[in-house]
Amino acid sequence: MSLDARPSPFDEMINRRGTHSAKWDRMEAIYGVSADDGIAMWVADMDFHPPQCVLDSLRGMVDHGVFGYHGDDDSYRAAICWWMKTRHDWDVDPSWIFTTAGLVNGTAVCLEAFTRPGDGVVLFTPVYHAFARVIRAAGRDVVECEMPIENGRYRMDFDAWDTQMTGAEKMLILCSPHNPGGRVWTRDELEQVAAFARRHDLLIVSDEIHHDLVFSGATHIPMAKLDGISDRLVMMTAPSKTFNIAGAHTGQVIIPDSDLRATFAKRMAGLGMSPNSFGLFMTEAAYSPAGAAWVDELTPYLDENRRLVDAAVNAIPGLKSMDMQSTYLAWIDFSGTGMARDEFTARVEQGARIAANHGPTFGKGGDSFLRFNFGTPRQVVAEAMERLTAAFSDLQ
């Protein structure tokens, strides 16, 4: 058998129903999509096993059989530093790293550490819905800077956004690469983000959780690699999306600046936060040469799934899949159908029996969109696209 003819491990069908999977076991209650024959394409986790090195690490813990307090995290920190240098050419000092219960939690701690109730927090929308949720829950104000679409992709419009600023804004949360649009921001765009933050005295919290899942032709640039920005920058990364271990709720907040680091450390201490050992072991195992080899197999598989989605969606009159460079989350625009949101959503949920995220939850600019997760075996993606085509067959 030739190398190219080998079956992909990502083609394995894994039944996640009845396993306390939010994505599969909650879709009927939330979307009305049958748990029996529905396809879950909403929650941003994948339907794949993590790499064998992660499974082996967990088995080693279980075989040892004692689950006491974790100590000496030097090798964990070293693995993170190795990954960022090897995969992203970013030099990270181990002392910069804090561990939070995932990056939604990391965002919440940043809000607590660096802002006060009533402060404005800037989002470039549409953007990951959890940001606005935690901002509002913390008593801060969401400031939505809507992104225009140009040549099929989102772009930044700082001339318009400068006029929106009132001086009450204290923080900007950047999603890089962008979820749900799949944009990998260029160095010039990141430089403009930095300049915008300087003009309006904003702290930048850069969520880079999708940074490993970038398709051929694009290169992710960590915000921390820009010059002259470290005094107003907090980086957030995690292995959760890359290796499909989101249930470990383990993320890293990485802060190069000593003053910002001291402020964040004080808030972490006040909250009594410490990580769970399972997440630390999984992260260390994932951030390894074996984990890197696995990602190098995963990314082209996801890219082929993306091509399948794009071909099917863009063949349906009135539907348009955004041209994406990263993530496994397709952002599909239904505005060309002329249908009201309730109608095209019903066709997807009741007609195609697919659960997809509703666009308005991502903020301004999301009304005509649904987000589809294609991080699943290709035959599932193909079945979903066949159903979607059938649901809109009258347009063809």
Side-chain angles (χ1 to χ4, degrees):
M1 180 181 292
S2 70
L3 191 64
D4 292 340
R6 289 184 306 172
S8 170
F10 306 112
D11 285 329
E12 180 186 355
M13 296 293 292
I14 302 169
N15 184 7
R16 299 182 64 193
R17 292 178 174 86
T19 63
H20 301 283
S21 162
K23 179 177 168 185
W24 288 91
D25 292 337
R26 293 286 293 157
M27 69 172 169
E28 186 162 13
I30 294 174
Y31 294 99
V33 176
S34 170
D36 295 329
D37 66 350
I39 298 178
M41 302 186 83
W42 59 300
V43 172
D45 64 23
M46 297 183 287
D47 297 321
F48 307 136
H49 289 303
Q52 190 63 42
C53 56
V54 172
L55 297 175
D56 290 344
S57 177
L58 288 173
R59 288 192 181 100
M61 293 182 70
V62 171
D63 289 345
H64 182 260
V66 178
F67 308 109
Y69 291 113
H70 189 280
D72 186 10
D73 63 357
D74 288 351
S75 59
Y76 159 79
R77 291 172 181 269
I80 296 167
C81 295
W82 178 85
W83 186 266
M84 299 310 162
K85 178 61 176 178
T86 303
R87 305 295 286 192
H88 300 288
D89 193 29
W90 172 30
D91 291 304
V92 174
D93 188 289
S95 67
W96 299 351
I97 302 169
F98 298 87
T99 301
T100 58
L103 294 194
V104 175
N105 174 246
T107 302
V109 180
C110 286
L111 290 168
E112 288 290 324
F114 301 116
T115 68
R116 296 180 179 180
D119 284 348
V121 181
V122 176
L123 300 177
F124 299 156
T125 63
V127 74
Y128 178 46
H129 46 75
F131 294 151
R133 185 179 75 239
V134 296
I135 292 167
R136 293 188 178 107
R140 279 66 169 170
D141 294 331
V142 177
V143 179
E144 297 187 64
C145 293
E146 185 177 349
M147 292 187 291
I149 297 173
E150 187 175 276
N151 297 323
R153 290 177 179 165
Y154 286 120
R155 70 169 179 85
M156 298 175 175
D157 187 358
F158 293 102
D159 289 340
W161 300 342
D162 279 333
T163 66
Q164 286 186 239
M165 300 298 103
T166 66
E169 302 81 13
K170 303 300 179 184
M171 179 182 288
L172 160 65
I173 301 178
L174 176 68
C175 195
S176 178
H178 182 255
N179 168 17
R183 269 301 313 274
V184 174
W185 305 115
T186 65
R187 178 174 287 275
D188 180 63
E189 287 169 321
L190 295 176
E191 293 283 5
Q192 291 181 61
V193 171
F196 177 77
R198 292 189 196 100
R199 284 197 299 277
H200 301 287
D201 196 19
L202 304 173
L203 177 77
I204 301 171
V205 175
S206 188
D207 181 344
E208 307 197 3
I209 197 168
H210 291 282
H211 62 171
D212 293 312
L213 305 178
V214 174
F215 304 135
S216 177
T219 301
H220 171 76
I221 300 171
M223 193 73 187
K225 292 188 68 175
L226 272 63
D227 294 330
I229 195 65
S230 63
D231 63 336
R232 62 175 69 249
L233 178 65
V234 172
M235 296 285 289
M236 298 201 304
T237 66
S240 52
K241 302 303 181 190
T242 305
F243 298 99
N244 202 36
I245 54 174
H249 282 283
T250 302
Q252 290 79 47
V253 175
I254 302 175
I255 308 178
D257 181 79
S258 59
D259 291 338
L260 293 177
R261 198 160 60 245
T263 300
F264 191 85
K266 183 177 181 180
R267 196 69 196 102
M268 285 275 287
L271 293 169
M273 292 179 62
S274 57
N276 78 82
S277 59
F278 286 87
L280 300 185
F281 274 92
M282 294 168 77
T283 299
E284 182 176 338
Y287 284 157
S288 66
W294 185 88
V295 175
D296 288 342
E297 285 191 67
L298 170 68
T299 306
Y301 188 91
L302 292 175
D303 199 11
E304 191 59 38
N305 280 2
R306 176 192 62 83
R307 292 189 187 96
L308 194 162
V309 170
D310 285 349
V313 168
N314 295 332
I316 302 172
L319 274 62
K320 176 63 178 174
S321 183
M322 183 162 280
D323 185 13
M324 59 188 297
Q325 302 164 296
S326 177
T327 84
Y328 47 81
L329 304 165
W331 189 231
I332 298 176
D333 186 4
F334 291 79
S335 62
T337 64
M339 297 177 186
R341 185 164 60 85
D342 287 349
E343 181 180 352
F344 68 72
T345 302
R347 289 193 182 212
V348 172
E349 293 174 352
Q350 279 76 61
R353 306 185 306 288
I354 298 172
N357 291 100
H358 294 182
T361 63
F362 296 84
K364 288 182 178 179
D367 279 357
S368 65
F369 288 84
L370 293 173
R371 191 188 75 172
F372 292 73
N373 177 348
F374 56 78
T376 193
R378 190 155 301 136
Q379 70 182 79
V380 178
V381 178
E383 169 67 20
M385 293 303 100
E386 289 176 7
R387 293 186 187 187
L388 193 68
T389 300
F392 292 87
S393 59
D394 57 312
L395 303 183
Q396 300 170 58

